[in-house]
Every structure is written in C-alpha cells, then in structure tokens.
Amino acid sequence: MTTILAAGDHFVRSSLFTDSLRPLAPGAAFRELTLPWPVEPFGPVAEVHEASGTEEQLIEALDGVDICVTQMAPLTERVLDASPGLRLFCVGRGGPVNANLAAATRHGVAVTFAPGRNATATAEHTVALMLAATRRVPETHHDLTGGIWRGDYYRYDSVGPELEGSTVGIVGYGAIGSRVARIVRGFGARVLVADPYVGEADLGPAELVDLPELMRRSSFVTVHARATPKTEGLLSHELIGLMPPGGVLVNCARGSLLDYDAVCDALDEGRLFGAAFDVFPEEPLPAGSRLRRTPNVVMTPHLAGASKQTAHNASALVADEVARFLAGRAPAHCANPEVLRTQH
C-alpha cells in the first residue's frame, strides 16, 4: 500500500491536499502534518531555504512514507538519510527552494513543483499596488482614520499618473508578468517587456525591448523575474536612475532583484513618484529599515500570492503529479528529471 504524507500549513492546509488526492489515489493511506507557516515566518532549515517546521518533525512523520506533498516542509540531506522509503516529494509552490535537489537525486527521490499556482493572485496584487501608490490609498486612509482631511493632495504637484495612456514596463514575462500585461492593457496602458527568454511571437500586443530601454520609456515598472544568482541586483542604481521623472516602481517577485537604497534615493530626491513592495531584502522587514521612513512607499508583507484560489491550485497541481507518478508516468513539473530514469 502506498502511504502519502500531507505536510500542509495554515495556508495550504493538509486537508486540501488529502481532499484533492483521495479520488486520484484510491487505496492509499494518508497521514497529515501541520507546519507552523505563516503563523511563524519561514526561513532556512539546515541547507534549504524558505522552509517551515523542523527536520525532526518531518523525519518522524515520514517514517514508512512513500510520497510527501507539501508547500514548506524541509527536504534536507538529513531528512533524506532518515527516509529510505520516500520516492516522491511534491512542493506546491512555484519553485522547490525548500528541497535539496542534489541530495534528493542521490537518494532517488523525484521533486516536483507547481508553476503558476499563484500567478493570478500575484498579478492582481501587483496592479493593486500600482493603483495604491499612484492614488495614495494607504496614507489617505491612515489620515482619515486620524481625523485628517488631506484635500491638499489634489495639488498638481501631489497627484500621480493614470494607467490609461501610460507605458508599463514588465521585467519578466512568465505566468505572472503576462497576466499583469493583460490587466493593464484593459486599463488602456501600453506594455513593454524585457525578458531574454521570450520571443516576439509570444508577446501579443506588447513590445519586446532590452532592460535599459524599458526603464527609460516606462512610467510604471513592475518586476516579475525569478531570483537566481544571475538576476541578483538586476535593477541596479544605474537602471533605476533611467526611469522618467514621476515614475512608479513595483516589486512583487523577490527582494534580491533590485537595489532598494537606489529606490529610496530616487523617492527622497523626488525623481520617482512612488514605489510599492511586497518583498524585501530581509523578511520580516527590520525595524530600522530605511523603507519605513521613505516617503511614498506602499508595502505589504509578502502576501501577493495569498488567495483561496492559490491554495486550491497548489493542492490540485500536486494531486495531479501524484496521480501521474502512481500511474507510472513522468511528473509534469519535475525539478530533478534525471532521477526518473532510475525509478521506472
């Protein structure tokens, strides 16, 4: 009998995983483990990143388990050494950063992931941040709750740009960036794209340009590239300085992608109108962060992908991978496909 561990958390619940899996894995035995995220922030666990729970918890729960489905559980060398029966580890997120892929491959464990599960939620949040920054939604709400009527924000020098008729530059045109493009075109914006992995034929009405040209021409710039060593610091001080006066910069991807001090400089000097961030170089945001005292910054605590649909998408994508594996077919999204040659 196949035994499946659903190691959920307080967002993608264990019950969502098991409810999605039961019709696709008849006869399987199920166990559930609830990890503490997001009640407790994720972080590094041994050699992996953005994980929740402990190695000890997972080792105990994996005893006799063939398949583990999760979002945040740490798949480390130690966990793998202690779990000889494990054959499939399904991560319900866009990248399996909480899994040691090299160690999993040595142990014969296939690791899958769930691309696009939060694409719509993140795209919608991105556009919400654009609007919140240009229309001063957080600060005027805060003033009104304190009894302050900020009619002075109607002054010409205090108002921001509209999306209609503006140029929006999208850095990274994957599942999220392409959805942002579709939404802002509905507002009447022009779209520029910088992405070395996308061709002209994939863009629709958007225009493909290099990154410096995108920065020079875009009143709004939003970042959706994947965080890799190659993209660290992608939006440098020099590139941020190319943006037109009064521009707005948004990041809902990863904090490593841009120079936050350069953004703060541009805001302090009045070169940019505003900025909006859901991700930061250090999370949670430190008490002494410069972003806390820089004007015209809108911030949310890394929750762009937080929607009920995201949780259900994650569980459905994971269930499909388990069904494929049980049927002897290759997973659709395997992060270490070389291991599959030795499994079937």
Side-chain angles (χ1 to χ4, degrees):
M1 177 187 295
T2 299
T3 300
I4 301 174
L5 172 66
D9 48 58
H10 297 283
F11 175 47
V12 184
R13 296 174 173 174
S14 300
S15 60
L16 292 178
F17 284 128
T18 54
D19 288 348
S20 295
L21 281 164
R22 285 188 194 279
L24 301 176
F30 289 91
R31 299 179 190 171
E32 292 188 356
L33 170 68
T34 298
L35 302 169
W37 186 82
V39 177
E40 297 177 11
F42 61 54
V45 175
E47 74 273 17
V48 302
H49 304 284
E50 295 187 17
S52 178
T54 67
E55 292 176 301
E56 291 77 13
Q57 278 180 299
L58 195 57
I59 289 169
E60 181 179 356
L62 284 174
D63 185 27
V65 166
D66 305 285
I67 296 171
C68 178
V69 298
T70 189
Q71 184 181 216
M72 296 285 181
L75 188 67
T76 65
E77 182 91 58
R78 182 182 168 205
V79 169
L80 287 155
D81 285 340
S83 309
L86 187 65
R87 288 292 171 263
L88 179 66
F89 189 84
C90 297
V91 178
R93 58 200 298 197
V97 294
N98 50 311
N100 182 333
L101 293 179
T105 302
R106 289 195 300 272
H107 285 78
V109 177
V111 178
T112 72
F113 57 103
R117 55 124 196 189
N118 64 353
T120 296
T122 304
E124 290 181 356
H125 194 86
T126 297
V127 178
L129 288 182
M130 287 181 185
L131 296 171
T134 58
R135 308 316 293 266
R136 300 187 183 273
V137 173
E139 56 207 282
T140 52
H141 170 81
H142 180 266
D143 288 338
L144 278 172
T145 59
I148 302 171
W149 185 270
R150 293 299 304 269
D152 58 309
Y153 277 147
Y154 226 115
R155 294 180 305 188
Y156 180 84
D157 289 341
S158 298
V159 297
E162 296 177 353
L163 275 171
E164 183 173 349
S166 292
T167 298
V168 176
I170 300 176
V171 182
Y173 202 66
I176 298 169
S178 59
R179 281 170 169 81
V180 172
R182 188 175 68 216
I183 295 169
V184 299
R185 283 199 299 266
F187 277 85
R190 296 179 294 273
V191 175
L192 302 180
V193 171
D195 188 327
Y197 305 103
V198 172
E200 295 278 1
D202 303 316
L203 291 173
E207 180 183 353
L208 186 65
V209 297
D210 63 25
L211 188 52
E213 182 177 354
L214 180 143
M215 300 299 288
R216 281 193 294 269
R217 293 174 54 188
S218 301
S219 298
F220 294 82
V221 172
T222 177
V223 188
H224 301 288
R226 184 167 289 281
T228 68
K230 187 175 181 180
T231 60
E232 184 170 354
L234 180 66
L235 295 195
S236 63
H237 186 282
E238 179 183 3
L239 285 171
I240 291 167
L242 296 178
M243 285 189 68
V248 175
L249 179 61
V250 179
N251 185 12
C252 287
R254 281 294 186 270
S256 63
L257 294 170
L258 62 86
D259 184 334
Y260 281 78
D261 278 328
V263 179
C264 290
D265 288 343
L267 291 167
D268 283 337
E269 296 163 11
R271 291 185 283 112
L272 291 181
F273 178 82
F277 303 122
D278 185 58
V279 291
F280 306 92
E282 183 179 348
E283 297 180 4
L285 191 67
S289 171
R290 184 179 174 188
L291 290 166
R292 291 176 179 265
R293 59 183 186 274
T294 299
N296 298 345
V297 175
V298 177
M299 297 184 288
T300 53
H302 202 152
L303 48 69
S307 72
K308 283 187 167 58
Q309 287 89 341
T310 293
H312 286 279
N313 291 343
S315 61
L317 287 164
V318 160
D320 181 66
E321 296 288 40
V322 172
R324 294 172 68 92
F325 185 82
L326 292 176
R329 295 184 292 140
H333 305 288
C334 187
N336 57 340
E338 59 272 29
V339 81
L340 300 176
R341 291 192 292 271
T342 64
Q343 284 195 343
H344 298 295

